[in-house]
Structures are given as structure tokens and as C-alpha cells.
Amino acid sequence: MYGTPQEAASELLDVIPAVMKEIRAEMRSQSSLELTVPQFRALAYVDRNRGASLSAVADHMGLTLPSTSRLVDILIGRNLLTREDNPVDRRRVKLSVTNRGKTILSFSRRGTQDYLANKLSKISEDERKAVLQSMATLRYIFITPQKVTTEAK
Amino acid sequence: MYGTPQEAASELLDVIPAVMKEIRAEMRSQSSLELTVPQFRALAYVDRNRGASLSAVADHMGLTLPSTSRLVDILIGRNLLTREDNPVDRRRVKLSVTNRGKTILSFSRRGTQDYLANKLSKISEDERKAVLQSMATLRYIFITPQKVTTEAK
DNA sequence: TATTGTTATACTCTATAACTATA
DNA sequence: TATAGTTATAGAGTATAACAATA
């Protein structure tokens, strides 16, 4: 292991999809809760940003408006979100998480985190710290810089 | 950052989907090549395992046989894979990557890796080594143990 | 009877195009 | 005219159920 960018890229390409699959499978397996990853992320975003507009959710998720609209339809259909008009600008929509949504979200988050934490409990604390450090690095590389482009209006 | 399993789990849940989104977007953006992540993974597996059966691909991908069958249909439809009968056991199928498939695969792999490598070139070699180490850890936790179950026949 | 694979059906994710309503 | 959102349509990923062919 020489630490070249190409080597690291190759590893990411191999490992990230596999870990992602685990996360997806675990979320889907939580019987009766059954959130997909996009559903979870949308719900979590609206939970953190009460009254968020559809566009805000779409921006956050990196999806188009129609895709986001349908995703939200499903969450509303399952009684996890509500959609109201925004009286200030009636083109806009105000999304909120229902009580049921909050419950499901917290169970799902806890369930998936517990599952991952259990797997991560098998390695040493030092190794976990290294993983944390690397996640911070990846966050810096893949998430933070994009925010610069996203400062809209 | 205390290095608890819960903390590490929370970070994974936040960062992995975001990195995955980048990988997906980059693969799709390679005009004319246009492989999705599952398509890429299936193609890469058959490339490494010439004559693989459908079940072998399904096992590797963690998908059901019908899902894998459809995925393979699409790759065959695009002339990236071929499907032949296995004369030894005529229930089985022998999958192979076409020349076009090999070309697409190598371009797609190179393109996506180059993209990731470029992002990863912005951090120090030490940081990259830490990322590599963490990927090895995650591979150990999330991938290796499952292989034990997979030693078929 | 068990294994390999396909077909039928259905739901979700995602996009582009076309549209409505509001500003 | 520009913006926020929805609806229509379509392709891809995924599952379960039902089936056919082979061992």
C-alpha cells in the first residue's frame, strides 16, 4: 500500500458499494419500519428543517424536483410527512414530519446505527478512531466542497 | 471524537451514502458508456470469472436470481455480455464479457477511478494511507465474513 | 425431489418533458 | 417572464410468486 490516489480510488470503488449494500439491506429489513435510504434521508432532512420546501429537499438530496415530489408523495402516503401550502408564497410547500414519521425515523436510525455499531464493536478503538478520521476526510473531499456551489439565490 | 462504535456508525451512515452518490453520478455521466453501479459490478465480476453462472453472479452481488436475470438481460441487450448453455449441466448458463463489454468496463473503471483519484489527490499521502487502512478495516468487517457463508457446493 | 434459471407482476428510484399556479 | 411544484411517461433496480427444464 503506497498511498497513491489511484490506489485509494480503487479501494473506494470496491468497498463503498459493499458497505452501502449493508446499510440498505439493514434499513429494509427493519420489519414494518421499512425505509429505503432515500426515504430515510429525506425524512431526516425535513426533521432537521421543519417547514422545508420541496426545492430545499431536492437540493439537499441532489435530485430533480419531479423525483423529489414522488419521493415525498410516498412518504405522505405512508403518513410520515405532511405537506401544507406556504401562505407567504403560495407556490411553495411546507413539509413537516408527522409524529409517526418521527417515531419511524428514530427507530430506523437507531436500528441501523445499532447494527453498524455492533459490527464496528469488533475492531479496536484505535481502528475506529482511524475510521472516524477517514470519514471526516471523505466528508471534506466529497461533501463540503459542493456546498460552495450550492449557495443559491 | 471518542471512537465509540455508535459514533463511528453515525459517521458511516452519514458519509457512505454521500460518497456512493458521487460514484453513481460519475459512472452515469460517462457519456455513451453509461453503466449503473450494479451493471458495473456484474460486468466486473464476470470479467474476473469467465463462464460464471447466473447464481454465482447473484451470490456475489447479494441479489435474487430474478433480479440478476434481469440485470444480465440488460447487459446482453447492450451487447456487453453473452449467455451460453453449459454443456456439462444444461440447467446452468455460462456468462462471458464481450469485447465491447471489456472496452466499456475498462473505460468506465478508468474514468471513475480517475475521477475519484483526482479528488483524493487533494489530500496528503498520509491521509490517503489512513483512508486505505480504513477501507481495509471496513472490508474486513463488512465483506470478508460473508465469504465464509458463500463457499458453495 | 432439488437446483438453475426465466417470466409475470409490482413497487421504488430516477430522469426528461409538458404542464399549472403563483410571483 | 421566472419560479415552485405536479403529472405523464419511461428505464432501471429490486423483490416475491409461479413456472419450466434439467439433474
Side-chain angles (χ1 to χ4, degrees), chain A residues 3 6 22 114 128 134 146, chain B residues 3 6 22 114 128 134 146:
Chain A
Q6 280 291 339
E22 291 278 307
D114 285 353
R128 278 195 298 273
S134 296
Q146 300 176 338
Chain B
Q6 280 292 339
E22 290 277 307
D114 284 353
R128 278 196 299 273
S134 296
Q146 301 175 337

Side-chain angles (χ1 to χ4, degrees), chain A residues 114-144:
Chain A
D114 285 353
Y115 170 77
L116 294 176
N118 178 266
K119 292 249 178 188
L120 288 160
S121 70
K122 289 169 189 159
I123 58 176
S124 72
E125 187 176 333
D126 279 351
E127 285 178 300
R128 278 195 298 273
K129 282 188 177 171
V131 169
L132 274 168
Q133 187 57 57
S134 296
M135 288 303 118
T137 301
L138 294 179
R139 182 194 290 278
Y140 167 71
I141 295 177
F142 290 105
I143 307 180
T144 311

Side-chain angles (χ1 to χ4, degrees), chain A residues 19 22-23 25-27 29-30 109-122, chain B residues 6 9 141-142 146:
Chain A
V19 177
E22 291 278 307
I23 293 175
E26 171 56 23
M27 277 199 179
S29 75
Q30 288 161 32
R109 177 154 25 203
R110 203 173 314 269
T112 306
Q113 266 190 39
D114 285 353
Y115 170 77
L116 294 176
N118 178 266
K119 292 249 178 188
L120 288 160
S121 70
K122 289 169 189 159
Chain B
Q6 280 292 339
I141 296 177
F142 290 106
Q146 301 175 337

Side-chain angles (χ1 to χ4, degrees), chain B residues 35 43-44 47 75 78-81 96-109:
Chain B
L35 287 179
L43 208 50
D47 191 47
L75 292 172
R78 293 198 185 156
N79 196 23
L80 304 179
L81 280 186
S96 313
V97 179
T98 63
N99 283 334
R100 179 153 180 273
K102 282 177 193 294
T103 305
I104 298 286
L105 182 60
S106 109
F107 269 86
S108 181
R109 176 155 24 201

Side-chain angles (χ1 to χ4, degrees), chain B residues 32-98:
Chain B
S32 83
L33 310 181
E34 301 227 346
L35 287 179
T36 66
V37 171
Q39 287 169 5
F40 174 85
R41 295 220 299 146
L43 208 50
Y45 179 80
V46 176
D47 191 47
R48 288 194 307 271
N49 301 274
R50 204 207 177 87
S53 70
L54 195 69
S55 298
V57 179
D59 269 8
H60 171 72
M61 310 264 308
L63 296 178
T64 61
L65 275 173
S67 298
T68 311
S69 187
R70 296 197 68 186
L71 183 55
V72 162
D73 279 348
I74 291 170
L75 292 172
I76 290 172
R78 293 198 185 156
N79 196 23
L80 304 179
L81 280 186
T82 59
R83 174 169 38 199
E84 309 167 76
D85 285 345
N86 184 335
V88 177
D89 178 346
R90 294 202 2 250
R91 291 172 305 182
R92 282 172 193 258
V93 120
K94 288 173 75 169
L95 299 170
S96 313
V97 179
T98 63

